[in-house]
Amino acid sequence: MGIPCHVGIIMDGNGRWARRRLLPRLAGHRAGMNRMLALVEHIFSCGVKYVTVFALSTENLSRPQSELDGLFGLFREYFSSQMEALRENGVRLRVIGDRALIPQDIADLIRAGEELTAEGTKANLAIAIGYGGRQDIVSACNRAVRAGREVTEESFAAALSTGGMPALDLLIRTGGEKRISNFLLFEAAYAELVFSGKMFPDYTDGDFDAALKEYASRERRFGKI
Ligand code: FPP
Protein backbone atom coordinates (compact mmCIF):
# COMPACT_ATOMS: atom_id res chain seq x y z
CA MET A 1 0.00 0.00 0.00
CA GLY A 2 3.06 2.24 0.15
CA ILE A 3 3.59 5.34 2.18
CA PRO A 4 0.57 7.02 3.79
CA CYS A 5 -0.04 10.57 2.66
CA HIS A 6 -1.47 11.80 5.97
CA VAL A 7 -0.45 10.49 9.39
CA GLY A 8 -2.10 11.54 12.66
CA ILE A 9 -0.54 11.02 16.08
CA ILE A 10 -2.22 11.02 19.48
CA MET A 11 0.77 11.67 21.74
CA ASP A 12 -0.48 10.02 24.92
CA GLY A 13 1.44 8.95 28.00
CA ASN A 14 3.60 11.98 28.88
CA GLY A 15 2.18 12.14 32.40
CA ARG A 16 2.76 8.45 33.13
CA TRP A 17 6.26 8.62 31.61
CA ALA A 18 7.08 11.37 34.13
CA ARG A 19 5.39 9.68 37.08
CA ARG A 20 7.37 6.49 36.54
CA ARG A 21 10.54 8.56 36.82
CA LEU A 22 9.26 10.49 39.85
CA LEU A 23 9.32 13.66 37.77
CA PRO A 24 6.65 16.40 37.56
CA ARG A 25 4.10 15.92 34.75
CA LEU A 26 5.51 18.90 32.91
CA ALA A 27 8.83 17.08 32.53
CA GLY A 28 6.87 14.42 30.63
CA HIS A 29 5.30 17.04 28.37
CA ARG A 30 8.72 18.57 27.70
CA ALA A 31 10.14 15.14 26.85
CA GLY A 32 7.07 14.65 24.63
CA MET A 33 7.67 17.94 22.85
CA ASN A 34 11.32 17.06 22.19
CA ARG A 35 10.30 13.63 20.92
CA MET A 36 7.67 15.21 18.68
CA LEU A 37 10.22 17.55 17.09
CA ALA A 38 12.51 14.69 16.05
CA LEU A 39 9.72 12.25 15.18
CA VAL A 40 7.95 14.66 12.83
CA GLU A 41 11.21 15.26 11.00
CA HIS A 42 11.69 11.52 10.68
CA ILE A 43 8.13 11.02 9.41
CA PHE A 44 8.62 13.66 6.70
CA SER A 45 11.92 12.03 5.74
CA CYS A 46 9.95 8.82 5.06
CA GLY A 47 7.98 10.67 2.36
CA VAL A 48 4.80 11.43 4.33
CA LYS A 49 3.41 14.79 3.20
CA TYR A 50 0.94 15.59 6.00
CA VAL A 51 1.38 15.04 9.72
CA THR A 52 -1.20 16.10 12.29
CA VAL A 53 -0.36 15.87 15.99
CA PHE A 54 -2.79 16.17 18.89
CA ALA A 55 -1.20 18.55 21.40
CA LEU A 56 -4.23 19.67 23.43
CA SER A 57 -7.86 18.61 23.17
CA THR A 58 -10.86 20.73 24.13
CA GLU A 59 -11.31 18.31 27.02
CA ASN A 60 -7.66 18.67 28.15
CA LEU A 61 -8.48 22.33 28.84
CA SER A 62 -10.18 21.30 32.07
CA ARG A 63 -6.88 20.00 33.50
CA PRO A 64 -5.50 21.89 36.54
CA GLN A 65 -4.41 25.43 35.65
CA SER A 66 -0.84 24.66 36.74
CA GLU A 67 -0.52 21.89 34.12
CA LEU A 68 -2.16 24.06 31.44
CA ASP A 69 0.23 26.93 32.26
CA GLY A 70 3.14 24.51 31.83
CA LEU A 71 1.81 23.30 28.48
CA PHE A 72 1.17 26.87 27.32
CA GLY A 73 4.78 27.67 28.28
CA LEU A 74 5.96 24.84 26.03
CA PHE A 75 3.76 26.06 23.18
CA ARG A 76 5.23 29.59 23.58
CA GLU A 77 8.72 28.13 23.42
CA TYR A 78 7.94 26.01 20.39
CA PHE A 79 6.16 28.70 18.35
CA SER A 80 8.89 31.24 19.22
CA SER A 81 11.88 29.04 18.38
CA GLN A 82 10.93 26.53 15.68
CA MET A 83 9.15 28.51 12.94
CA GLU A 84 12.27 29.52 11.02
CA ALA A 85 13.42 25.88 10.90
CA LEU A 86 10.03 24.84 9.50
CA ARG A 87 10.26 27.54 6.84
CA GLU A 88 13.80 26.57 5.89
CA ASN A 89 12.66 22.96 5.44
CA GLY A 90 9.67 23.92 3.30
CA VAL A 91 7.16 22.82 5.92
CA ARG A 92 3.85 24.63 6.04
CA LEU A 93 2.36 24.96 9.53
CA ARG A 94 -1.31 24.98 10.35
CA VAL A 95 -2.79 24.99 13.85
CA ILE A 96 -6.29 23.59 14.18
CA GLY A 97 -8.61 24.14 17.12
CA ASP A 98 -10.40 27.03 18.80
CA ARG A 99 -7.95 29.93 19.24
CA ALA A 100 -10.37 31.62 21.64
CA LEU A 101 -9.53 28.88 24.16
CA ILE A 102 -5.80 29.66 24.35
CA PRO A 103 -3.89 32.74 25.57
CA GLN A 104 -3.86 35.60 23.06
CA ASP A 105 -0.06 35.85 22.89
CA ILE A 106 0.15 32.19 21.79
CA ALA A 107 -2.59 32.76 19.20
CA ASP A 108 -0.48 35.68 17.90
CA LEU A 109 2.67 33.51 17.71
CA ILE A 110 0.68 30.86 15.85
CA ARG A 111 -0.62 33.37 13.32
CA ALA A 112 2.90 34.65 12.75
CA GLY A 113 4.20 31.07 12.31
CA GLU A 114 1.44 30.22 9.84
CA GLU A 115 2.20 33.36 7.84
CA LEU A 116 5.95 32.73 7.87
CA THR A 117 5.57 29.16 6.59
CA ALA A 118 2.66 29.76 4.21
CA GLU A 119 4.78 29.19 1.10
CA GLY A 120 6.04 25.77 2.27
CA THR A 121 5.33 23.07 -0.30
CA LYS A 122 7.50 20.13 0.78
CA ALA A 123 5.44 18.99 3.76
CA ASN A 124 2.57 20.05 5.99
CA LEU A 125 2.47 20.00 9.77
CA ALA A 126 -0.83 20.52 11.57
CA ILE A 127 -0.89 20.88 15.35
CA ALA A 128 -4.22 20.43 17.13
CA ILE A 129 -4.52 22.77 20.13
CA GLY A 130 -7.84 23.41 21.85
CA TYR A 131 -9.20 21.01 19.25
CA GLY A 132 -12.16 18.63 19.39
CA GLY A 133 -13.41 16.61 16.44
CA ARG A 134 -17.06 16.93 17.44
CA GLN A 135 -16.73 20.67 18.03
CA ASP A 136 -15.09 21.09 14.61
CA ILE A 137 -17.93 19.16 12.96
CA VAL A 138 -20.59 21.18 14.79
CA SER A 139 -18.95 24.50 13.81
CA ALA A 140 -18.78 23.45 10.16
CA CYS A 141 -22.48 22.42 10.34
CA ASN A 142 -23.47 25.72 11.88
CA ARG A 143 -21.63 27.69 9.22
CA ALA A 144 -23.48 25.73 6.52
CA VAL A 145 -26.83 26.24 8.29
CA ARG A 146 -26.22 29.98 8.64
CA ALA A 147 -25.31 30.19 4.96
CA GLY A 148 -28.50 28.25 4.16
CA ARG A 149 -26.75 25.60 2.08
CA GLU A 150 -26.76 21.84 2.06
CA VAL A 151 -23.39 20.14 2.16
CA THR A 152 -21.80 17.30 0.25
CA GLU A 153 -19.10 15.05 1.70
CA GLU A 154 -16.54 17.07 -0.23
CA SER A 155 -17.82 20.53 0.68
CA PHE A 156 -18.20 19.45 4.30
CA ALA A 157 -14.64 18.08 4.45
CA ALA A 158 -13.43 21.37 2.98
CA ALA A 159 -15.29 23.33 5.69
CA LEU A 160 -13.55 21.50 8.55
CA SER A 161 -10.43 22.99 10.11
CA THR A 162 -8.44 20.39 8.13
CA GLY A 163 -10.02 21.64 4.87
CA GLY A 164 -7.66 21.18 1.93
CA MET A 165 -5.76 18.37 3.64
CA PRO A 166 -6.25 14.77 2.46
CA ALA A 167 -8.24 12.35 4.63
CA LEU A 168 -6.24 10.56 7.32
CA ASP A 169 -4.51 7.34 6.17
CA LEU A 170 -2.80 6.22 9.36
CA LEU A 171 -3.64 7.12 12.95
CA ILE A 172 -1.11 6.22 15.64
CA ARG A 173 -1.88 6.41 19.35
CA THR A 174 0.77 5.86 21.99
CA GLY A 175 0.19 5.31 25.71
CA GLY A 176 -1.71 2.03 25.60
CA GLU A 177 -5.32 3.29 25.26
CA LYS A 178 -7.27 2.13 22.22
CA ARG A 179 -9.58 4.97 21.36
CA ILE A 180 -9.76 8.05 19.15
CA SER A 181 -10.64 10.54 21.92
CA ASN A 182 -12.33 13.14 19.72
CA PHE A 183 -9.40 13.52 17.28
CA LEU A 184 -10.10 14.00 13.53
CA LEU A 185 -13.44 12.13 13.70
CA PHE A 186 -14.62 12.84 10.16
CA GLU A 187 -11.14 12.68 8.65
CA ALA A 188 -10.31 9.29 10.21
CA ALA A 189 -13.29 7.47 8.68
CA TYR A 190 -11.05 5.01 6.80
CA ALA A 191 -7.76 5.51 8.62
CA GLU A 192 -5.77 2.46 9.62
CA LEU A 193 -5.35 2.50 13.39
CA VAL A 194 -2.07 1.50 15.03
CA PHE A 195 -1.79 1.50 18.83
CA SER A 196 1.45 1.42 20.80
CA GLY A 197 1.79 0.56 24.48
CA LYS A 198 4.79 2.87 24.74
CA MET A 199 4.49 6.22 26.47
CA PHE A 200 4.96 8.98 23.87
CA PRO A 201 8.42 10.18 25.01
CA ASP A 202 9.63 6.58 24.56
CA TYR A 203 8.12 6.17 21.07
CA THR A 204 11.10 5.93 18.71
CA ASP A 205 11.61 6.56 15.00
CA GLY A 206 11.99 2.77 14.73
CA ASP A 207 8.54 2.31 16.31
CA PHE A 208 7.16 4.57 13.59
CA ASP A 209 8.96 2.52 10.92
CA ALA A 210 7.26 -0.59 12.37
CA ALA A 211 3.87 1.19 12.18
CA LEU A 212 4.58 2.02 8.52
CA LYS A 213 5.33 -1.63 7.85
CA GLU A 214 2.11 -2.66 9.55
CA TYR A 215 0.21 -0.06 7.48
CA ALA A 216 1.79 -1.36 4.28
CA SER A 217 0.76 -4.91 5.13
CA ARG A 218 -2.91 -4.07 5.57
CA GLU A 219 -5.40 -4.20 2.76
CA ARG A 220 -7.52 -1.07 2.56
CA ARG A 221 -10.80 -1.78 0.85
CA PHE A 222 -12.77 1.36 1.80
CA GLY A 223 -15.88 -0.78 2.32
CA LYS A 224 -15.59 -2.55 -1.03
CA ILE A 225 -14.81 -6.24 -1.53
C1 FPP B 1 -1.18 13.39 26.63
O1 FPP B 1 -0.44 12.81 27.68
C2 FPP B 1 -0.44 14.52 26.14
C3 FPP B 1 -0.86 15.81 26.19
C4 FPP B 1 -2.16 16.22 26.75
C5 FPP B 1 0.01 16.90 25.72
C6 FPP B 1 0.80 16.58 24.51
C7 FPP B 1 1.71 17.68 24.29
C8 FPP B 1 2.97 17.54 23.85
C9 FPP B 1 3.61 16.25 23.47
C10 FPP B 1 3.78 18.76 23.69
C11 FPP B 1 3.58 19.21 22.29
C12 FPP B 1 4.18 20.47 22.08
C13 FPP B 1 3.95 21.22 21.01
C14 FPP B 1 4.67 22.47 20.86
C15 FPP B 1 2.96 20.89 19.99
P1 FPP B 1 -1.11 12.76 29.11
O2 FPP B 1 -0.73 13.99 29.86
O3 FPP B 1 -2.58 12.53 28.98
O4 FPP B 1 -0.40 11.50 29.71
P2 FPP B 1 -1.02 10.46 30.75
O5 FPP B 1 -2.20 9.80 30.04
O6 FPP B 1 0.10 9.52 30.98
O7 FPP B 1 -1.40 11.26 31.95
Side-chain angles (χ1 to χ4, degrees), residues 11-16 25 29 36 55 60 63 75 78 127:
M11 307 182 286
D12 195 16
N14 295 343
R16 280 164 289 161
R25 288 180 63 80
H29 292 315
M36 181 204 90
N60 291 153
R63 289 190 177 192
F75 296 158
Y78 175 81
I127 303 181

Side-chain angles (χ1 to χ4, degrees), residues 11-18 21 27-33 35-36 174 198-204:
M11 307 182 286
D12 195 16
N14 295 343
R16 280 164 289 161
W17 181 93
R21 287 163 179 75
H29 292 315
R30 177 172 289 285
M33 179 173 85
R35 185 77 279 270
M36 181 204 90
T174 63
K198 285 199 179 176
M199 301 302 119
F200 182 68
D202 288 332
Y203 189 81
T204 64

